Amino acid sequence: MVRDGDTVALEGFTHLIPFAAGHEIIRQRRRNLTLIRMTPDLIYDQLIGAGCAAKLVFSWGGNPGVGSLHRLRDAVENDWPAPLALEEHAHAGMAAAYAAGASHLPFGVLRGYLGTDLPKYNPKIKFIECPFTGEKLAAVPAHRPDVTVVHAQKADRKGNVLMWGVVGVQKEAVLAAKRSIVTVEEIVDRLDAPPNAVVLPSWVVGAVCAVKGGAFPSYAQGYYPRNNAFYKQWDGIAREREGFQQWIERHVMGTKDFDGFQRSLEAAVKHA
Amino acid sequence: MVRDGDTVALEGFTHLIPFAAGHEIIRQRRRNLTLIRMTPDLIYDQLIGAGCAAKLVFSWGGNPGVGSLHRLRDAVENDWPAPLALEEHAHAGMAAAYAAGASHLPFGVLRGYLGTDLPKYNPKIKFIECPFTGEKLAAVPAHRPDVTVVHAQKADRKGNVLMWGVVGVQKEAVLAAKRSIVTVEEIVDRLDAPPNAVVLPSWVVGAVCAVKGGAFPSYAQGYYPRNNAFYKQWDGIAREREGFQQWIERHVMGTKDFDGFQRSLEAAVKHA
Amino acid sequence: MPDAGYSSDEMMTIAAARMIRNGASLFVGIGLPSAAANLARLTHAPETVLIYESGTIGTKPSVLPLSIGDGELSETAESVVSVPEMFAYWLQGGRIDLGFLGAAQIDRFANINTTVIGDYRKPSTRLPGAGGAPEIAASCKEVLIALRHNKRAFVNKLDFLTSSGHMEGGDSRERMKLPGKGPTAVITDLGILTPDPVTRELTLTSLHPGVTAEKVVESTGWPLKVAPKLETTAPPSETELRVLRDLNERTKRAHAGQA
Amino acid sequence: MPDAGYSSDEMMTIAAARMIRNGASLFVGIGLPSAAANLARLTHAPETVLIYESGTIGTKPSVLPLSIGDGELSETAESVVSVPEMFAYWLQGGRIDLGFLGAAQIDRFANINTTVIGDYRKPSTRLPGAGGAPEIAASCKEVLIALRHNKRAFVNKLDFLTSSGHMEGGDSRERMKLPGKGPTAVITDLGILTPDPVTRELTLTSLHPGVTAEKVVESTGWPLKVAPKLETTAPPSETELRVLRDLNERTKRAHAGQA
């Protein structure tokens, strides 16, 4: 469902990051993507390093608590493996842009960006006046991805999706998109969602696909914890181009699916 | 905490309507209030008929599924017991105004009011242009009540509040207000809130007060159902001024608190 | 029609229910829209997704709710969201197939009034007002309207335009950039009116059994256009009548014994 | 300071933690802010409400999270909200007492850069970027900033202004109508700087034990003002050191054994 040149959002705020779906995009050798994501994280470091991206729309591009995303930096600083255009926001602006997209509004309004240099480099940040008070507020155009991909804990057999814990902007990202894909830890007979839970009814979701462990090395609350050690290891894997390329070839391109990827990683650990 | 002349929002969308708090405002003979509420319902019919209100900010003023709010109509059509200024919106505009208030934005934006006569009579509905696409969108000023009152199912001993089911605009109304009061069905040792539940942490709530049954004749999910029969009876009680006044005198002014009100209503049913 | 075996209100509800496509997402108001939507769900359209503005999505009530937020709606819903989310992400989001409205007054272009009879500032009758209707009328992909047919309701000029139909007809709705297509049918106790594809003026296209075109024209406050090929609405089937009456009976019992 | 019995980073974290008033609501970033906030919560400020931008409100983690959304944050939170709600209703809503930021560069008016070193379009070092910082800096009632003190960080001119401090000093922040008061202290591994009440220029007001004013001035990329009455930061107490080290030890163990 992802095509070359698409604008794609893979969301999940530290939690439920759709790594399995990201790997599949790499395996399918998609090119020229505009990638949207608040926190690019390891998943976009991999997509960028693998040459899938032409542009990144984001607000914080680091390896949380560890340091840099070396593939992102290499693309920005040295155009490797290809130049990467940046459309840079702050989190508040990204959140407002997704919410506007979900709301079918052309723009979102926020009290933001005042005094910062971001509007100088991102023409999509403008300032408007309140029609009642004259106050100056920031405006950002709505995000409307061609495809949004998120990972969730459960779906029922009809395709209704349930997620809980840190839910980030996943709901907004799905509702803002033209098409959407949800990978889930498991498909169950009954969702048994608590009242007011975050549920995506089947009729607003394009496709649902069970991928156990599909958020690794991020986490799925109630299923497995964040693999903080892998996040730390990534710093070494991605620091040099060669090491990164070997890793991607061996564990992503060299495997058929996410299950294969996980087995390949385990084998590597055993032989280390 | 409610003073004469205040702008007051008692919210609860068909569910968890803070009737007990409304009665207390009537008992305290508050005057000159600006009442905000999406659906005035019986609670505002009572406040208006009792002479507490100078202005009503609303979007739908009926007795749901039954018919008119006769006290509201009498105030608008005949200035009884006092003239009532109207600031009239649609639901979408009211919801956007509360959300803007909770967000500390001076106004909310919506795709609304296009083609309708409402902007002709409500100068607080304006139209703005999207700075990116030039599209015409409606803008409404944020609601910032002096006091918001809501009813919820539970609070813990620290004052954290949990509500579930139809949660309406209660969270937004509380967060938009300068002061807030929450009545609850019960105070418990532990909230045991499910993940992502609607919780108001104690530090954003002004006061919490246990009033068992305090949403009658609306309902508190998990505690008691909506008393649809009373909603139907209200049509007869409120149709004529005399009948309404007798009812308010006997059951509200003539009782000390909501418990007294409920006993007084029960006694009336037994003698009928 | 005392000997038809059904009332004209039943015919209206059943005719309205038939317009609901199975699987459609449906934004439902209280009263006839709710009855028709639930009738459809219990007969030919079991996969219909019922949405009430209280925030309840995909609800399956066993009785008709009196309010749009009765407890059963939230207990049987697939998802219950806040009211700001309902209006922003769901209705304005453009994901609702069909909106279903009632009205106190309607004009020839299916614009409707639910606000006042008489002058806004000194009304002879103050009606409940807009509620969710203006944005339902604007943002749902299609809109159905149901109301009883008489000259007080079908007026030459609205006292107040609460919710936009086809505005002044022709392409005036499109020019105003309202997102949805607007009203596609008006179902009454006498027949069915649909907008002319070009002028968008409401035209009588179907008569309920036993009703004459003259009766409908007489009950309309403007010179009503009548389609050259006028159809007759199929009478209620046994199943439709039985399911509707059962639903109404269950509803009556449920809303009685409490006060 | 090899014989002080604590490191300069420990002094910095502890000095930062002391600035947190018990009961305050605190918007916390990862790294030193998170360590200081949790240290405060585990010592003198048990009622501190910790808020991470992942949507977790009132969390009580037993170890320091590596990311701002680790599972323990949501498991121990009083409430977990969506990210759009966090930024709109909570941060922008103006209900957070204290924001706590780090920085790669800071200028004399406590404006900070976390975006790039060098030219934006051809940076020598691409940093992670803004994240939540610009609106934390704008909307929290007060802001604390913590970073190591050296000339690469304390610069005469920022390469990029990511988050607004006191802008050009004086009343320039107020004139820009930023909602919060802005930075009230900068805590480093050498001492504490606070903005002059009038000019808003950062002034050295406290030295950590064993540090000289000359050393701080030398480590600053502009001619640093030094307060006439320079205080000395109280050294870490035994309790502070023990709780911080326990916390770091627990954290290290928790983040190791998984991959």
Side-chain angles (χ1 to χ4, degrees):
Chain A
M1 279 170 78
V2 176
R3 302 168 199 151
D4 286 355
D6 270 353
T7 296
V8 181
L10 275 65
E11 277 295 349
F13 201 86
T14 69
H15 180 212
L16 294 172
I17 301 178
F19 274 91
H23 285 186
E24 191 52 34
I25 293 171
I26 294 172
R27 273 190 208 100
Q28 292 182 7
R29 299 181 190 275
R30 291 285 157 246
R31 286 297 176 266
N32 229 354
L33 302 179
T34 292
L35 295 177
I36 309 182
R37 190 173 150 77
M38 292 184 71
T39 56
D41 203 83
L42 274 49
I43 182 73
Y44 278 20
D45 212 31
Q46 293 171 9
L47 281 156
I48 292 164
C52 304
K55 184 176 174 182
L56 176 66
V57 183
F58 78 114
S59 41
W60 194 85
N63 182 344
V66 178
S68 292
L69 292 175
H70 297 290
R71 296 298 99 225
L72 166 56
R73 278 186 60 178
D74 204 13
V76 174
E77 296 170 8
N78 310 308
D79 291 346
W80 190 94
L84 183 70
L86 296 186
E87 180 183 318
E88 186 161 3
H89 289 273
H91 279 353
M94 287 288 282
Y98 274 123
S103 304
H104 190 215
L105 286 175
F107 70 109
V109 178
L110 67 152
R111 233 177 242 289
Y113 295 116
L114 273 183
T116 79
D117 283 343
L118 284 160
K120 290 185 197 164
Y121 297 97
N122 183 350
K124 298 216 171 155
I125 301 167
K126 293 194 180 187
F127 291 93
I128 60 169
E129 265 190 18
C130 169
F132 302 100
T133 65
E135 279 175 275
K136 189 177 162 187
L137 298 151
V140 289
H143 285 333
R144 297 302 305 258
D146 294 313
V147 188
T148 286
V149 187
V150 300
H151 188 74
Q153 280 106 333
K154 282 185 195 181
D156 66 17
R157 299 200 187 279
K158 288 185 211 153
N160 299 302
V161 171
L162 170 66
M163 62 181 83
W164 68 87
V166 170
V167 292
V169 290
Q170 283 102 301
K171 186 173 193 169
E172 287 76 14
V174 166
L175 295 180
K178 293 171 196 145
R179 309 190 293 280
S180 61
I181 305 167
V182 183
T183 56
V184 294
E185 285 298 321
E186 58 173 339
I187 291 177
V188 295
D189 288 331
R190 293 164 43 98
L191 275 191
D192 291 322
N196 309 108
V198 180
V199 171
L200 292 166
S202 58
W203 52 281
V204 297
V205 174
V208 173
C209 179
V211 186
K212 200 176 151 192
F216 170 92
S218 84
Y219 71 108
Q221 193 152 358
Y223 292 80
Y224 46 89
R226 191 170 192 271
N227 197 310
N228 284 331
F230 185 85
Y231 271 85
K232 290 180 175 177
Q233 285 174 12
W234 182 253
D235 194 65
I237 295 168
R239 189 173 288 269
E240 302 301 333
R241 294 174 188 171
E242 295 66 32
F244 167 77
Q245 284 180 312
Q246 282 166 15
W247 188 91
I248 278 280
E249 281 302 324
R250 175 167 175 193
H251 299 298
V252 180
M253 299 307 288
T255 56
K256 261 177 47 188
D257 54 22
F258 204 68
D259 195 44
F261 161 76
Q262 287 178 303
R263 277 184 279 117
S264 155
L265 266 196
E266 275 163 33
V269 169
K270 272 183 203 147
H271 293 126
Chain B
M1 281 170 78
V2 175
R3 302 167 197 149
D4 287 355
D6 270 354
T7 296
V8 181
L10 276 65
E11 276 295 348
F13 201 86
T14 69
H15 180 212
L16 294 172
I17 301 178
F19 274 92
H23 285 184
E24 193 51 35
I25 292 171
I26 294 171
R27 274 190 208 101
Q28 293 182 5
R29 298 182 190 277
R30 291 285 158 245
R31 288 295 176 267
N32 230 354
L33 302 178
T34 292
L35 296 176
I36 308 182
R37 195 175 144 75
M38 292 184 70
T39 56
D41 202 85
L42 275 47
I43 184 71
Y44 277 20
D45 213 31
Q46 293 170 9
L47 282 156
I48 291 164
C52 305
K55 184 176 174 184
L56 177 66
V57 182
F58 78 114
S59 42
W60 193 85
N63 182 343
V66 178
S68 291
L69 292 175
H70 298 291
R71 297 299 97 223
L72 166 57
R73 278 186 60 179
D74 205 11
V76 174
E77 295 170 9
N78 311 306
D79 291 346
W80 191 93
L84 183 70
L86 295 185
E87 181 183 317
E88 187 161 1
H89 288 272
H91 279 352
M94 287 287 281
Y98 274 122
S103 305
H104 190 217
L105 287 175
F107 70 107
V109 178
L110 67 153
R111 235 176 239 289
Y113 295 115
L114 273 183
T116 79
D117 283 343
L118 284 161
K120 290 185 196 163
Y121 296 96
N122 183 351
K124 298 215 172 157
I125 302 166
K126 294 194 179 187
F127 291 93
I128 60 170
E129 266 190 15
C130 170
F132 302 100
T133 65
E135 279 176 275
K136 191 177 161 187
L137 298 151
V140 289
H143 286 334
R144 298 302 305 254
D146 293 312
V147 188
T148 286
V149 187
V150 301
H151 188 73
Q153 280 109 331
K154 282 185 195 179
D156 65 18
R157 297 196 190 279
K158 289 186 212 152
N160 299 304
V161 172
L162 171 65
M163 61 180 82
W164 69 86
V166 170
V167 292
V169 290
Q170 282 103 299
K171 185 173 195 171
E172 287 76 14
V174 167
L175 295 181
K178 292 169 198 148
R179 307 189 294 279
S180 62
I181 305 169
V182 183
T183 57
V184 294
E185 286 297 322
E186 59 173 339
I187 291 177
V188 296
D189 289 330
R190 292 164 44 98
L191 275 190
D192 290 322
N196 308 109
V198 180
V199 170
L200 292 166
S202 57
W203 52 281
V204 298
V205 174
V208 173
C209 179
V211 186
K212 201 178 152 191
F216 170 91
S218 83
Y219 71 108
Q221 191 151 359
Y223 292 80
Y224 45 92
R226 193 171 191 268
N227 197 311
N228 284 331
F230 184 85
Y231 271 86
K232 290 180 175 176
Q233 284 174 13
W234 182 253
D235 194 66
I237 295 167
R239 188 171 290 269
E240 302 300 334
R241 294 173 187 172
E242 295 68 30
F244 166 77
Q245 284 181 311
Q246 282 166 16
W247 187 91
I248 279 279
E249 280 303 324
R250 178 171 173 191
H251 299 297
V252 179
M253 298 307 287
T255 57
K256 262 178 42 189
D257 55 21
F258 204 68
D259 195 46
F261 161 77
Q262 287 179 303
R263 278 184 281 116
S264 157
L265 265 197
E266 274 163 32
V269 170
K270 273 183 200 147
H271 293 128
Chain C
M1 293 165 288
D3 46 11
Y6 56 86
S7 73
S8 57
D9 274 5
E10 285 173 335
M11 181 71 251
M12 172 164 60
T13 305
I14 289 165
R18 289 175 187 159
M19 300 229 163
I20 296 167
R21 182 176 54 76
N22 191 20
S25 55
L26 190 55
F27 209 96
V28 190
I30 277 307
L32 186 134
S34 179
N38 279 288
L39 176 58
R41 188 175 61 79
L42 297 170
T43 53
H44 69 282
E47 301 298 319
T48 302
V49 178
L50 298 194
I51 299 171
Y52 290 80
E53 65 195 12
S54 56
T56 52
I57 297 173
T59 99
K60 298 166 188 68
S62 63
V63 304
L64 296 176
L66 187 66
S67 80
I68 40 158
D70 280 21
E72 204 192 1
L73 294 178
S74 92
E75 280 160 16
T76 63
E78 281 169 2
S79 177
V80 181
V81 301
S82 75
V83 162
E85 178 177 328
M86 174 52 72
F87 281 94
Y89 291 0
W90 297 85
L91 179 58
Q92 182 175 278
R95 48 199 110 246
I96 315 294
D97 295 321
L98 197 57
F100 211 144
L101 297 171
Q105 289 184 333
I106 186 168
D107 72 12
R108 76 186 67 196
F109 295 114
N111 303 298
I112 65 181
N113 172 17
T114 55
T115 302
V116 286
I117 305 298
D119 179 63
Y120 181 79
R121 299 199 197 279
K122 268 290 151 211
S124 60
T125 306
R126 174 65 228 196
L127 304 165
E135 287 72 29
I136 295 173
S139 285
C140 289
K141 290 177 193 162
E142 280 182 51
V143 175
L144 299 178
I145 301 167
L147 75 171
R148 293 204 186 97
H149 212 131
N150 59 59
K151 278 196 165 168
R152 276 183 304 133
F154 284 72
V155 296
N156 193 44
K157 186 165 171 24
L158 299 180
D159 290 353
F160 190 99
L161 197 164
T162 312
S163 303
S164 303
H166 296 290
M167 304 307 304
E168 291 96 40
D171 63 352
S172 56
R173 183 181 166 102
E174 281 89 334
R175 275 188 283 116
M176 201 161 244
K177 313 248 187 225
L178 287 159
K181 276 203 293 183
T184 51
V186 178
I187 302 102
T188 82
D189 51 344
L190 302 181
I192 298 168
L193 290 70
T194 53
D196 178 273
V198 177
T199 67
R200 305 290 168 90
E201 184 170 335
L202 289 175
T203 306
L204 179 65
T205 48
S206 188
L207 285 170
H208 296 335
V211 180
T212 63
E214 289 69 37
K215 164 81 175 160
V216 184
V217 169
E218 264 169 34
S219 306
T220 303
W222 69 83
L224 177 67
K225 295 237 159 66
V226 178
K229 280 178 112 180
L230 200 49
E231 294 184 28
T232 302
T233 315
S237 73
E238 255 180 65
T239 308
E240 285 169 333
L241 265 184
R242 179 176 41 78
V243 173
L244 177 60
R245 287 171 182 175
D246 284 357
L247 179 62
N248 284 331
E249 188 51 42
R250 279 201 304 279
T251 299
K252 210 169 146 187
R253 273 203 310 272
H255 296 172
Q258 287 159 320
Chain D
M1 293 166 290
D3 46 11
Y6 55 87
S7 73
S8 57
D9 275 6
E10 285 172 335
M11 181 71 252
M12 172 163 63
T13 306
I14 288 166
R18 288 176 187 158
M19 301 230 163
I20 297 168
R21 183 176 52 76
N22 191 20
S25 56
L26 191 54
F27 209 96
V28 190
I30 276 307
L32 186 135
S34 179
N38 279 288
L39 175 58
R41 188 174 63 79
L42 296 170
T43 53
H44 70 282
E47 300 299 317
T48 303
V49 179
L50 298 194
I51 300 170
Y52 290 80
E53 66 195 14
S54 56
T56 52
I57 297 173
T59 99
K60 297 166 189 68
S62 64
V63 304
L64 297 176
L66 187 67
S67 81
I68 39 158
D70 280 21
E72 204 191 1
L73 295 178
S74 93
E75 279 159 16
T76 63
E78 281 168 3
S79 177
V80 181
V81 302
S82 74
V83 163
E85 177 176 329
M86 175 52 72
F87 280 94
Y89 291 0
W90 297 86
L91 180 58
Q92 183 175 275
R95 50 198 108 245
I96 315 294
D97 295 319
L98 198 56
F100 211 142
L101 296 172
Q105 289 184 333
I106 185 167
D107 72 12
R108 74 186 70 195
F109 296 115
N111 302 297
I112 65 181
N113 172 18
T114 56
T115 302
V116 286
I117 305 297
D119 179 63
Y120 181 79
R121 300 202 196 278
K122 268 287 152 216
S124 60
T125 305
R126 174 65 228 196
L127 303 166
E135 287 72 30
I136 294 173
S139 285
C140 290
K141 290 176 193 160
E142 280 182 49
V143 175
L144 299 178
I145 300 167
L147 76 169
R148 293 202 187 98
H149 212 131
N150 58 59
K151 278 196 165 169
R152 274 182 306 131
F154 284 72
V155 296
N156 192 44
K157 187 163 172 23
L158 299 179
D159 290 352
F160 190 98
L161 197 165
T162 312
S163 303
S164 303
H166 296 292
M167 304 307 306
E168 290 97 40
D171 63 352
S172 57
R173 183 181 167 104
E174 282 88 334
R175 277 188 282 115
M176 201 161 243
K177 313 245 188 231
L178 287 159
K181 277 203 290 183
T184 51
V186 177
I187 302 102
T188 82
D189 50 346
L190 301 181
I192 299 170
L193 290 68
T194 54
D196 178 273
V198 176
T199 66
R200 305 290 168 88
E201 184 170 335
L202 287 176
T203 307
L204 179 65
T205 49
S206 189
L207 286 171
H208 296 335
V211 179
T212 62
E214 290 67 38
K215 163 82 176 160
V216 184
V217 169
E218 264 169 35
S219 306
T220 303
W222 70 83
L224 177 66
K225 294 236 161 67
V226 178
K229 283 177 107 179
L230 200 49
E231 294 182 29
T232 302
T233 314
S237 74
E238 255 181 62
T239 309
E240 286 168 335
L241 265 183
R242 181 177 39 80
V243 173
L244 176 60
R245 287 173 181 174
D246 283 358
L247 180 62
N248 283 332
E249 189 50 43
R250 281 202 302 280
T251 300
K252 210 170 145 188
R253 273 204 309 273
H255 297 173
Q258 287 161 320

